Amino acid sequence: SYARPEQSPAESNYSLLEMRVLAPIIAMLALPMAALAKAADPTECEVCIAVLNSVDGLIAKDKKNDLPSIEAGIDKYCNGGGLGPKEKKMCYYMEPIKRSVAQPFSLKMPKDRVCKRLKKDNDAICDVKFAVKVEAAATAEDVTKLRVKQLKTILNDRGVECEGCLEKSDFVKRVLETAHMDL
C-alpha cells in the first residue's frame, strides 16, 4: 500500500497559502475564456430557427405537445409552396428526422436550443444561412465593410462569376456593378 508522507505544520500552511493565492488567479484567467466561448455567431442556425418558428405558427395551441401534430406541421410547412431555397434545404434536412425535431419542440424548448441539439446529429443544419442582403443604395463604403467570404456569397447568390478577382477591391467593385441583380 501507498503511504503518504506526513507534512509538517509549516509545509501544510504553505500549501494552503499557495492554494489561496493561486485559486483567484486561475479563476481570473478562466473568466475571459468563458466569455469568448459564449460569444456566438448571431447568424448561427438562423434558417433552422426561422423554419421552426414558421412551423410553430402552423400548429394549433392545444396540439403543441402532440408529436404527430408537430410532425404534420413540419410536413405542411415543407410541402407548402413559396419556400425559398434556404428553407427548402432546411426541410430536406428535417424531413428524415421529424421525430427528433418534434420531441424537444413538444417540450417547449426554445427554437435555438432545438436547432443546436439537432446540430449534434447533423452539422449542416446550422450551416445553412440566409443570403447577405446588400441594398441597392449601398455605397462602396458599406460594401467594403463586408468580408471577402460574404462578397463571394453575394456574387454566388446572384449567379455572377468574378473572374480575375484577386483583391477585396475587385470583389467590392463586382458586387456594386451587379447591385441591380439582387434578389
Side-chain angles (χ1 to χ4, degrees), residues 13 16 20 22 27 35 42 44 49-50 99 110 133 136 148:
N13 288 340
L16 188 60
R20 285 184 182 165
L22 287 179
E44 183 181 29
I49 293 168
R99 184 59 58 136
K133 294 289 181 188
V148 173

Side-chain angles (χ1 to χ4, degrees), residues 134-138 154-155 158 160 173-183:
V134 178
E135 295 180 22
I154 292 168
L155 292 172
R158 292 178 181 170
V160 175
K173 181 180 173 188
R174 191 73 173 131
V175 166
L176 292 172
E177 288 172 355
T178 59
H180 66 282
M181 299 174 73
D182 211 358
L183 301 173

